[in-house]
Amino acid sequence: MRIIHFCVIVAMIAAATYVYDIKFESTMQAERLARIRGEIRRERDAIAALRAEWAKLDSPDRIEGLAQRHLPLKATDARQFDQFANLPERPKPPLFADEPDPIGALLSIEQEKDIPTGSTGGRNQR
């Protein structure tokens, strides 16, 4: 009978040790989970702060103010554009494949002439 009591006591000590080990492991996992949730919360807060900062930096009013301060842009003058009647007529498409390209021919003629156009840059500003 003593041997049975001894075996039961040893079995209960082993079971208590096993339960304590499981409880300790679950406590460690709970702490790790809480730490990861805290990191996730901090990262989400950082992402929200960065998005708010990006929205502030990307606002059209701020970009317009920066462009006015730092870029030498001028307002468009309506006289810079030519009238529609002054545009050359559209060339007819070639009937046969061996005919020269009418657009290419028109462009080569345009390059030879000094025709004022509506653009502000390029060959007309000398």
Side-chain angles (χ1 to χ4, degrees):
M1 203 61 176
R2 285 183 146 187
I3 295 176
I4 293 175
H5 287 167
F6 180 75
C7 289
V8 169
I9 290 173
V10 169
M12 292 195 57
I13 291 173
T17 305
Y18 183 68
V19 168
Y20 177 78
D21 187 44
I22 290 174
K23 183 179 185 302
F24 181 75
E25 188 71 28
S26 66
T27 303
M28 295 296 289
Q29 293 292 331
E31 289 177 2
R32 183 171 171 250
L33 182 63
R35 187 175 55 246
I36 289 173
R37 284 184 177 165
E39 289 176 9
I40 290 172
R41 190 177 330 110
R42 282 191 297 273
E43 293 295 326
R44 284 185 178 164
D45 290 345
I47 289 171
L50 289 173
R51 283 187 178 163
E53 185 177 348
W54 176 255
K56 179 184 170 187
L57 293 174
D58 196 32
S59 69
D61 294 336
R62 180 183 170 277
I63 292 175
E64 183 179 350
L66 289 173
Q68 288 176 351
R69 269 187 273 150
H70 300 291
L71 296 177
L73 299 177
K74 295 179 182 175
T76 304
D77 187 11
R79 294 177 293 166
Q80 292 177 330
F81 298 103
D82 206 356
Q83 295 183 359
F84 186 73
N86 294 337
L87 292 176
E89 290 189 28
R90 185 178 189 156
K92 294 179 182 176
L95 296 177
F96 302 103
D98 56 341
E99 289 185 12
D101 183 22
I103 296 176
L106 184 62
L107 289 176
S108 65
I109 292 171
E110 292 291 326
Q111 288 177 352
E112 293 173 4
K113 292 192 248 177
D114 191 21
I115 299 174
T117 62
S119 66
T120 57
R123 64 177 187 244
N124 293 329
Q125 290 192 2
R126 293 182 193 170

